[in-house]
């Protein structure tokens, strides 16, 4: 069968609605351009490989393979390695202000998989999901497979405007899920204030929806005060997604979900169907590094000043080169700085010029849900050195100078 | 919100249709019982850990972390590691009788994930999938999330009855997918004859559906002749799922999909949303072992006589202890032997008695699609030693003697 008579290939009739409507992420397509050697990329959120604990991972691998190779190379439980679930629960209890038990933990292949599994268990087509607007593309891509109705909630310097969400709810909106990065939000870098965390949890309890507290960057705080997870106000309505990608290494693909047990039971069944379980070796290696609190503290104390220094270098270069042409809300942590360029700037068009000038970033429009933000951009300070960040901003200024502002 | 007024918890109203209908697999629940130390388990399909190449993995890990730790611990491409895709394509070309290019390969977290992704890209609720009946539970679980209509096609000693499938098709059945283990089928151990492989490919081309050739055991052949993949007759209508779990180790969770490019493009987009990519470290380690053909040949030549010896021990014990009370079709490879017990035996009831006698197996009914097979059982010879297999069959005979046959 080469066609169905309507000029379509035989296989086009076989595609699911999900496959027909899915598309590759804008970030991903952009990253291909950003890989040119002459381009300094502020586009990706790749952790700096200089600080990967390679020698410690070598030693840990050698140890676990020598001592219990047969166990760590065999099939494992879908829920994840018992000792890693225990450790994840203990860490959550210590760092989120919300206690958790090992039975509430499911180990996943990165927190991306946690998101996919939560979507599978809670969403049918047309269900409402409220999300940070602008919001993290990768998350929205995982949820979009379920074909929900996404409703964007605007952010300001204190994160998601829970007052706007409350108005929607009072008007009758009935979401099943609320997706947010409460801490160092991707892409804006904003952190949800403690009052809003409490408010959000109250809304979830009152209207009966689940908050996804996706927090991959929490340990990377460079300024400001620690804040409790929304789960500290209502653990029954919050599912926490945690990742080792930013603090250890991304290549192991280890994250976990912490949630109420009614949801965990369903997530485990879903994960069993999806991939049986996450790489046992990756789980053991993540556990070997994380279980030593002295090592972990020392490691994080290396990461923080490194990234803080890069953040400060980017902010300084933006001030020096662009002045009030680039408004920013300096992030207290994480990897991203959000800039608003002069009104009328089209950052998607600017990107083409910027690539010619040897610098890449992600246009803010790529993260927009309901509110176009054509004059914004996300700049990552995670990967490049302070010197390269300064050079990147000089190139960005050149690109901006070459671009006509149409306001 | 503690309930919705109908006595349901607030969260029950949030569950997706998929989550409300999904259930844990029978195999999985059974394995919990089978883990008792006094039970010899013929239930699971765990590869024998005695032959895990632990020292080679230790050496490979040490080498890759020392030489290119920064690369192999960083985020990677969704498609998978380039060198592993090249190797997978070369192996497929050499062993399937059907050439493949690296662009046709997507690395997955085990072949289970390949199945989930194919289901996401091709199935909407109500779509028809024809499957081996009895068929591999784990596969059906992955596909069931899409809520398809499963139609079982009976098997005999030469695998799926393609003549029965042809009748269904002539009667108007229009499947999108055909799921089969052509080689050493799970659970029956049957191998699809070359004529039927050709016939199946012809039917797929004629009626416009995709065959999933799921072959995790192909390298573990103990007798009989090599057979080409159905893809050798029509590569455009066949997607191959391959796994390193049985030949290397399961704990790395490395498999891959080989398919036509129209499908690969969609699978990559789906995988990006699901988990970004498979553990880079696991991919590199699988590649390090598989890339040396001399090493791999020697390793497989260790595995084959080991498992052959265990298969023969199980078959001999069945003959000695049960005689014509247990009819079998001796498998040419893989890990499973299918037995038909005297008509009227209820193997689900027998399992309870068998566990009391210290032996576990999977009742055939767990694999049934449209045809109940209450008097059958799947016995795995993969994990236990010949002596333990013989003891297990003695215990099975005791259990059978204690059970009333109701025919």
């Amino acid at each position: 069968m080469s066609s169905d008579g309507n000029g379509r290939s035989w296989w086009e009739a076989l595609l699911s609605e999900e496959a027909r409507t899915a598309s590759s992420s804008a970030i991903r397509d952009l990253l291909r351009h950003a890989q040119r050697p002459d381009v300094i990329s502020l586009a990706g959120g790749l952790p700096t490989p200089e600080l990967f604990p390679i020698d410690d991972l070598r030693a840990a691998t050698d140890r676990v393979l020598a001592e219990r190779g047969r166990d760590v190379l065999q099939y494992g439980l879908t829920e994840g390695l018992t000792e890693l679930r225990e450790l994840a629960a203990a860490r959550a209890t210590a760092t989120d202000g919300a206690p958790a038990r090992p039975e509430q933990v499911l180990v996943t292949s990165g927190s991306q998989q946690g998101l996919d599994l939560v979507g599978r268990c809670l969403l049918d087509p047309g269900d409402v999901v409220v999300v940070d607007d602008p919001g993290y593309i990768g998350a929205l891509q995982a949820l979009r497979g379920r074909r929900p109705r996404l409703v964007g909630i605007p952010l300001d310097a204190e994160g998601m405007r829970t007052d706007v969400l409350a108005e929607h709810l009072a008007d009758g909106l009935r979401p099943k899920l609320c997706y947010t990065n409460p801490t160092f939000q991707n892409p804006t870098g904003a952190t949800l204030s403690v009052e809003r965390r409490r408010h959000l949890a109250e809304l979830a309890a009152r209207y009966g929806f689940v908050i996804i507290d996706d927090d991959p960057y929490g340990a990377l705080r460079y300024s400001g005060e620690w804040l409790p997870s929304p789960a500290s106000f209502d653990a029954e309505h919050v599912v926490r997604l945690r990742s080792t990608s930013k603090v250890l290494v991304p290549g192991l693909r280890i994250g976990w979900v912490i949630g109420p047990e009614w949801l965990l039971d369903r997530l485990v069944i879903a994960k069993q169907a999806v991939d049986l379980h996450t790489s046992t070796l990756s789980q053991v290696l993540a556990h070997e590094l994380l279980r030593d609190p002295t090592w972990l503290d020392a490691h994080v104390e290396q990461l923080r000043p490194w990234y803080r220094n890069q953040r400060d270098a980017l902010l300084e270069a933006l001030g020096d080169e662009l002045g009030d042409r680039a408004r920013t809300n300096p992030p207290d942590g994480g990897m991203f700085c959000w800039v608003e360029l002069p009104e009328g700037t089209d950052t998607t068009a600017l990107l083409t010029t910027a690539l010619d000038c040897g610098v890449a970033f992600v246009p803010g429009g790529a993260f927009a849900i309901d509110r176009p933000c054509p004059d914004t951009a996300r700049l990552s300070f995670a990967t490049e050195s302070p010197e390269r960040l300064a050079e990147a901003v000089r190139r960005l200024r050149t690109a901006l100078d070459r671009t006509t502002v149409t306001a």
Side-chain angles (χ1 to χ4, degrees), chain A residues 89-205:
Chain A
R91 273 175 63 87
T93 301
T95 64
D96 291 345
R101 283 167 297 106
E103 296 74 32
Q104 289 178 263
V105 178
L106 168 65
V107 179
T108 54
S109 299
S111 53
Q112 182 78 18
Q113 187 183 44
L115 210 49
D116 177 59
L117 295 174
V118 171
R120 288 171 79 109
C121 289
L122 296 187
L123 298 180
D124 286 313
D127 285 340
V128 174
V129 181
V130 294
V131 297
D132 292 329
D133 186 8
Y136 169 50
I137 298 175
L140 305 180
Q141 219 190 341
L143 296 176
R144 273 190 174 129
R146 307 297 300 182
R147 289 181 284 128
R149 182 179 149 217
L150 296 183
V151 176
I153 307 295
L155 284 84
D156 63 18
E158 296 197 342
M160 183 186 274
R161 294 266 312 269
T162 53
D163 59 319
V164 175
L165 174 59
E167 283 171 27
H168 279 295
L169 294 167
D171 286 347
L173 191 75
R174 289 295 173 269
K176 279 188 167 182
L177 279 176
C178 169
Y179 175 80
T180 185
N181 297 135
T183 307
F184 322 138
Q185 198 249 358
N186 184 355
T188 68
T191 293
L192 195 68
S193 67
V194 68
E195 293 74 21
R196 291 192 187 170
R197 288 169 191 241
R198 185 193 309 271
H199 189 205
L200 187 57
E202 285 169 1
L203 293 172

Side-chain angles (χ1 to χ4, degrees), chain A residues 289-372:
Chain A
L289 294 193
L290 294 175
R291 72 175 180 161
D292 178 349
T294 311
W295 178 87
L296 183 60
D297 287 347
H299 180 62
V300 171
E301 285 317 314
Q302 275 194 301
L303 295 175
R304 279 199 188 114
W306 178 283
Y307 284 120
R308 180 192 292 122
N309 191 34
Q310 293 183 183
R311 176 197 65 172
D312 293 346
L314 178 66
L315 290 171
E316 189 182 324
L318 286 170
D320 290 352
E321 296 292 329
L322 294 171
D324 52 15
R325 292 168 81 190
R327 279 159 295 147
T328 62
N329 172 30
D332 280 332
M335 301 193 155
F336 303 112
C337 182
W338 183 253
V339 297
E340 296 181 31
L341 294 167
E343 210 180 317
T345 308
D346 175 349
T347 52
T348 303
L350 178 66
L351 177 58
T352 309
T353 313
L355 286 167
D356 289 343
C357 297
V359 61
F361 59 85
V362 184
F367 305 94
I369 310 297
D370 295 329
R371 290 158 189 79

